[in-house]
């Protein structure tokens, strides 16, 4: 343990019954953070190099975050997602393909499918371990009927209090500058970042050091119970062509000739 590490100031358990919303950019009901408390959130992974970079920075500071996973990316890189999960971070979901759910061309069934396949894919990639019932809409676009749907599924909805705009940043320093400009004004909040992006992974060691230096404390958000995926979508996921299996074992360790 590094005594100088940022660490975790407080762990909260969330009961997502009825689909509560978090993050003052859209949901004002639940003001649970105290002054100088932050929640670190990372979207759009898992992704090679950048997600492991974020994991290392968090581990070096003995701290934690919530990862909102894209289902397709989970099927590409299940081993990286397992690293996130095994490191003890909270894993939520962020749709199957990052489709904007406000797109009028999508039917209601297609919107539900985006949400549900994302959950089924993350569960599959984690070898059957279910993620938290924590969901973030792509681009923070909240179609009212899907907000209602998530309520019926008892899934919590995460907006944010401050957006680092890391996806627009031209370098790591810009991620740090935007984040602290907003954070020092608000004094606390759920911070939106992307482990998918290189500049975020590069910025995180310094960003975490500055949180510590500024007297900020990280709050870990855990779910009271995991989300229940729906069998029809688990089945649909299994039918998607070319889904790799989770097993990374070489063929020789799986198939042995016992008689010839
Ligand atoms: Zn996203």
């Amino acid at each position: 343990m590094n005594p100088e590490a940022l660490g975790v100031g407080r762990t909260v358990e969330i009961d997502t019954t009825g689909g509560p919303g978090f993050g003052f950019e859209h949901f004002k009901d639940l003001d649970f953070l105290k002054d100088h408390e932050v929640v670190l959130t990372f979207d759009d992974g898992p992704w090679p190099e950048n997600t492991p970079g974020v994991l290392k920075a968090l581990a070096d500071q003995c701290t934690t975050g919530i990862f909102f996973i894209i289902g397709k990316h989970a099927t590409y890189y299940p081993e990286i997602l397992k690293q996130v999960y095994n490191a003890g971070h909270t894993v939520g979901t962020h749709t199957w393909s990052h489709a904007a759910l406000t797109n009028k061309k999508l039917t209601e069934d297609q919107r539900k499918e985006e949400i549900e396949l994302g959950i089924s894919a993350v569960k599959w990639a984690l070898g059957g371990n279910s993620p938290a019932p924590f969901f973030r809409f792509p681009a923070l676009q909240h179609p009212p009927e899907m907000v209602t749907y998530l309520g019926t599924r008892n899934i919590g909805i995460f907006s944010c209090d401050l957006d680092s705009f890391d996806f627009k940043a031209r370098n790591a320093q810009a991620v740090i500058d935007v984040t602290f400009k907003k954070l020092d004004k608000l004094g606390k909040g759920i911070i939106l970042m992307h482990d998918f992006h290189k500049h975020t992974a590069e910025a995180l060691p310094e960003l975490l050091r500055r949180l510590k230096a500024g007297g900020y404390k990280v709050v870990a958000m855990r779910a009271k119970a995991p989300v229940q995926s729906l069998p029809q979508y688990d089945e649909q996921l299994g039918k998607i062509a070319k889904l790799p299996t989770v097993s990374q074992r070489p063929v020789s360790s799986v198939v042995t000739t016992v008689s010839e």
Side-chain angles (χ1 to χ4, degrees):
M1 276 293 280
N2 169 9
E4 301 301 310
L6 177 60
V8 175
R10 185 161 72 106
T11 300
V12 296
E13 186 181 85
I14 307 298
D15 179 347
T16 57
T17 305
F22 298 92
F24 264 44
E25 281 205 4
H26 296 89
F27 303 104
K28 316 272 188 200
D29 292 340
L30 296 165
D31 186 11
F32 72 99
L33 292 176
K34 300 171 195 163
D35 183 45
H36 275 67
E37 283 188 336
V38 296
V39 177
L40 307 173
T41 70
F42 301 95
D43 291 8
D44 297 1
W47 206 252
E49 291 179 36
N50 303 335
T51 302
V54 166
L55 290 177
K56 181 175 186 315
L58 294 172
D60 286 348
Q61 289 287 343
C62 308
T63 194
T64 191
I66 311 175
F67 288 72
F68 292 97
I69 303 295
I70 295 176
K72 269 190 182 175
H73 291 180
T75 68
Y76 301 159
Y77 305 111
E79 296 306 321
I80 300 175
L81 182 57
K82 279 187 192 156
Q83 288 172 29
V84 175
Y85 184 84
N86 290 337
H89 302 296
T90 299
V91 174
T93 66
H94 192 44
T95 73
W96 164 244
S97 73
H98 212 262
L101 300 190
T102 45
N103 182 345
K104 296 273 181 265
K105 287 182 187 150
L106 295 180
T107 64
E108 184 144 337
D109 280 351
Q110 286 171 321
R111 288 166 216 241
K112 283 182 192 167
E113 186 178 289
E114 273 289 320
I115 293 169
E116 297 294 352
L117 267 185
I119 293 168
S120 291
V122 170
K123 180 180 169 185
W124 170 85
L126 291 175
N129 288 312
S130 293
F134 292 177
F135 178 82
R136 184 175 264 153
F137 283 100
L140 302 183
Q141 295 179 338
H142 300 80
E145 69 280 14
M146 287 301 106
V147 170
T148 304
Y149 176 70
L150 289 167
T152 66
R153 290 280 282 121
N154 298 320
I155 293 172
I157 304 167
F158 282 71
S159 171
C160 68
D161 294 291
L162 64 119
D163 190 337
S164 67
F165 281 105
D166 56 347
F167 60 97
K168 287 184 175 172
R170 63 193 182 286
N171 55 36
Q173 191 58 45
V175 178
I176 297 166
D177 290 346
V178 171
T179 301
F180 280 94
K181 192 174 170 218
K182 293 181 176 180
L183 185 57
D184 288 337
K185 195 168 145 205
L186 290 172
K188 64 177 185 177
I190 298 171
I191 304 174
L192 169 57
M193 294 172 277
H194 295 81
D195 56 309
F196 178 72
H197 284 291
K198 181 168 162 270
H199 295 326
T200 308
E202 289 169 352
L204 207 58
E206 177 61 18
L207 194 148
L208 297 177
R209 273 194 294 275
R210 279 191 52 181
L211 284 175
K212 170 80 177 174
Y216 289 100
K217 301 221 184 290
V218 171
V219 174
M221 294 180 76
R222 309 282 182 218
K224 192 173 176 191
V227 69
Q228 301 294 321
S229 66
L230 299 179
Q232 73 180 96
Y233 295 97
D234 290 342
E235 205 175 297
Q236 191 179 335
L237 181 79
K239 286 181 192 149
I240 292 170
K242 291 184 182 166
L243 194 63
T245 72
V246 175
S247 172
Q248 301 282 307
R249 290 165 55 202
V251 68
S252 60
S253 85
V254 179
V255 181
T256 308
T257 302
V258 291
S259 94
E260 201 164 28

